[in-house]
């Protein structure tokens, strides 16, 4: 009696028809990345459909059994070549995002070594890299614009009360980046005492009833002790329940604009006072009325305690005080004063302008 003996299959070997191999192959084919396996001789032993397309082949069988650097000799010396060599030598996984110059494309590689060779997951990331580059260019332009315009940016986390203050925000107040922490109190403690309550009230009102854009004006204390006028503008970010969680905004120093507006207001007031004085002079019925109108008009134009109107006669040693005004009243006078007793009156004769900040200087002039 004889028995037909078939050759025994080595233990652990996977074939294309064995269930574990079929399961693994199915999983690898469904992943979105390209997947290849190389043996220690740098030959392809597995290539999935996605990898074949990324590597420029119609089907995986076009690469199975072939040497990677024979198929792609242009890759020798490229960053991926060195990464594969390093993974084999160190037996440590390697992750790599790199530009592949021969194809003008970017790839992401996850390389896993073993004593039998390499397994590599890879995918093309050219579009992502172009998008990242475009985003970086936009960010760079925005950063330069913010710096050139001296706009300070801030990001207030309403849950933690922590605030990001940009370097430009701190520079507006004369500080270096490291001199101001990320706490809400850094802003609150520098708001002018007269402005703090109103500024905080506007913030609370905006948080309670958000609008498209938040606007606030207040004074902030500079490092040198002065106060700068600030225009703050902001908007809110909300969580999934519609609750505000962050407030993002900007600071613009409007101190010079405020000074310009104030100077314009004072100029308009002076022009209005001059027009009124002109009308009052025309309506005056006597010399005394005219002098009174002129004196009161001057007091509206020039903030001072007293105005003295004098008349200088040519070659006369005396000055005639025509009128003086102060404390809301005008006193008409016709008093002669020797110029020698008041030398500063010589300035009037010369036609020059003399500014005396302190009236006590008149006594020693």
């Amino acid at each position: 009696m004889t028995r037909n003996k078939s050759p025994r299959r080595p233990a652990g070997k996977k074939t294309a028809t064995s269930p574990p191999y079929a399961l693994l192959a199915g999983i690898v084919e469904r992943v979105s990345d390209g997947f290849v396996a190389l043996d220690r001789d740098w030959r392809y032993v597995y290539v999935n459909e996605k990898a074949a397309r990324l590597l420029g082949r119609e089907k995986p069988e076009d690469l199975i059994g072939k040497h990677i650097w024979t198929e792609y000799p242009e890759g020798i010396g490229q960053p991926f070549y060195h990464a594969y060599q390093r993974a084999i030598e160190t037996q440590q996984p390697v992750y790599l995002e790199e530009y592949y110059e021969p194809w003008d494309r970017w790839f992401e590689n996850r390389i896993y070594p073993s004593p039998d060779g390499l397994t590599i997951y890879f995918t093309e990331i050219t579009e992502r890299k172009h998008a990242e580059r475009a985003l970086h260019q936009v960010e760079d332009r925005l950063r330069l614009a913010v710096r050139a315009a001296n706009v300070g940016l801030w990001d207030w986390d309403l849950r933690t009360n922590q605030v990001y203050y940009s370097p430009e925000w701190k520079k507006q107040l004369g500080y270096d980046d490291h001199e101001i922490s990320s706490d809400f109190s850094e802003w609150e403690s520098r708001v002018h005492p007269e402005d703090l309550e109103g500024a905080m009230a506007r913030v609370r009102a905006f948080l309670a009833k958000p609008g498209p854009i938040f606007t606030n004006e207040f004074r902030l204390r500079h490092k040198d002790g002065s106060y700068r006028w600030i225009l703050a503008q902001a908007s809110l970010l909300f969580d999934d329940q519609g609750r505000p969680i962050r407030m993002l905004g900007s600071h613009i120093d409007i101190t010079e604009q405020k000074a310009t507006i104030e100077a314009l207001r004072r100029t308009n007031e002076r022009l209005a006072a001059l027009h009124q004085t002109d009308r009052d002079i025309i309506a005056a019925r006597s010399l005394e009325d005219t002098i009174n109108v002129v004196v009161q008009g001057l007091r509206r134009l020039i903030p001072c305690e007293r105005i003295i109107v004098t008349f200088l006669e040519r070659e006369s040693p005396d000055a005639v005080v025509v009128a003086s005004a102060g404390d809301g009243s005008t006193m008409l006078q016709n008093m002669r004063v020797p110029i020698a007793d008041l030398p500063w009156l010589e300035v009037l004769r010369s036609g020059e302008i003399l500014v005396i900040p302190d009236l006590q200087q008149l006594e020693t002039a």
Side-chain angles (χ1 to χ4, degrees):
M1 185 177 186
T2 62
R3 183 170 53 186
N4 185 17
K5 294 184 179 180
S6 300
R8 178 175 293 180
R9 182 177 298 160
K13 184 178 180 181
K14 304 293 188 294
T15 69
T17 56
S18 64
Y21 183 90
L23 177 61
L24 177 60
I27 293 173
V28 170
E29 289 299 331
R30 285 193 294 270
V31 299
S32 59
D33 291 351
F35 174 82
V36 300
L38 302 170
D39 63 18
R40 290 195 64 86
D41 294 325
W42 301 101
R43 297 184 182 280
Y44 289 102
V45 295
Y46 188 89
V47 179
N48 72 352
E49 294 283 350
K50 181 64 176 291
R53 291 195 299 272
L54 289 172
L55 295 172
R57 298 295 187 267
E58 292 185 1
K59 54 187 182 299
E61 289 76 13
D62 294 339
L63 289 172
I64 299 299
K66 295 181 179 179
H67 194 282
I68 182 175
W69 306 125
T70 300
E71 293 297 305
Y72 305 103
E74 71 278 7
I76 297 175
Q78 294 292 323
F80 297 106
Y81 174 88
H82 295 299
Y84 298 166
Q85 296 282 355
R86 185 167 70 252
I88 284 290
E89 292 170 3
T90 64
Q91 288 294 296
Q92 294 293 322
V94 176
Y95 174 82
L96 187 65
E97 286 188 8
E98 192 56 69
Y99 174 65
Y100 190 60
E101 186 176 2
W103 294 357
D104 189 27
R105 292 152 70 187
W106 282 83
F107 289 94
E108 175 190 81
N109 272 211
R110 296 184 299 280
I111 309 159
Y112 300 96
S114 74
D116 297 325
L118 293 177
T119 55
I120 306 168
Y121 292 87
F122 67 102
T123 189
E124 184 179 354
I125 57 172
T126 304
E127 289 187 6
R128 193 191 84 194
K129 283 294 183 179
H130 288 170
E132 288 176 356
R133 182 180 300 174
L135 178 60
H136 290 158
Q137 290 174 345
V138 171
E139 290 175 343
D140 288 342
R141 286 194 292 267
L142 177 60
R143 192 177 299 109
L144 290 172
V146 166
R147 188 178 303 161
N150 193 26
V151 176
L153 303 179
W154 50 273
D155 182 354
W156 179 18
D157 190 326
L158 301 173
R159 299 160 298 183
T160 64
N161 220 29
Q162 293 295 292
V163 186
Y164 164 76
Y165 303 105
S166 72
E168 287 76 19
W169 190 100
K170 300 171 186 179
K171 186 178 179 181
Q172 282 181 349
L173 301 178
Y175 292 93
D176 290 331
D177 193 26
H178 68 278
E179 293 184 281
I180 292 182
S181 69
S182 299
D183 195 82
F184 180 76
S185 62
E186 296 282 12
W187 172 83
E188 188 176 29
S189 64
R190 289 177 172 82
V191 179
H192 194 288
E194 295 177 2
D195 300 341
L196 180 58
E197 183 177 350
M200 288 301 300
R202 286 187 286 274
V203 171
R204 289 191 293 267
F206 184 72
L207 292 176
K209 191 177 180 180
I213 295 294
F214 170 77
T215 302
N216 210 350
E217 289 187 13
F218 46 82
R219 288 166 287 179
L220 274 183
R221 189 175 66 252
H222 193 276
K223 188 177 182 179
D224 63 12
S226 66
Y227 280 91
R228 310 293 296 179
W229 274 102
I230 299 296
L231 169 64
Q233 295 178 303
S235 57
L236 290 172
L237 291 181
F238 302 87
D239 62 14
D240 294 338
Q241 285 73 45
R243 295 171 298 195
I245 56 174
R246 287 168 60 193
M247 194 170 183
L248 296 89
S250 63
H251 272 187
I252 299 176
D253 188 330
I254 58 171
T255 305
E256 292 185 4
Q257 293 93 316
K258 283 282 188 179
T260 300
I261 292 171
E262 178 61 21
L264 182 61
R265 183 190 64 80
R266 290 195 298 267
T267 298
N268 288 335
E269 287 181 351
R270 291 191 180 104
L271 288 174
L274 281 173
H275 291 320
Q276 184 61 47
T277 300
D278 286 344
R279 289 192 291 268
D280 292 344
I281 289 174
I282 293 173
R285 296 180 178 273
S286 65
L287 176 61
E288 290 79 5
D289 287 345
T290 301
I291 292 174
N292 186 61
V293 167
V294 170
V295 169
Q296 294 303 327
L298 287 172
R299 292 202 69 198
R300 286 194 296 267
L301 290 172
I302 306 171
C304 60
E305 294 182 6
R306 179 165 293 278
I307 288 179
I308 300 174
V309 179
T310 61
F311 175 73
L312 298 179
E313 297 176 336
R314 190 181 297 274
E315 305 300 332
S316 172
D318 298 332
V320 179
V321 177
V322 178
S324 66
D327 303 325
S329 62
T330 301
M331 181 171 59
L332 299 179
Q333 304 180 45
N334 190 15
M335 181 176 62
R336 287 185 169 276
V337 180
I339 293 177
D341 292 345
L342 298 172
W344 56 271
L345 287 177
E346 279 292 350
V347 176
L348 301 180
R349 191 186 297 275
S350 69
E352 298 175 358
I353 296 176
L354 175 66
V355 177
I356 303 177
D358 188 352
L359 288 178
Q360 291 183 351
Q361 294 182 27
L362 295 178
E363 300 176 0
T364 58

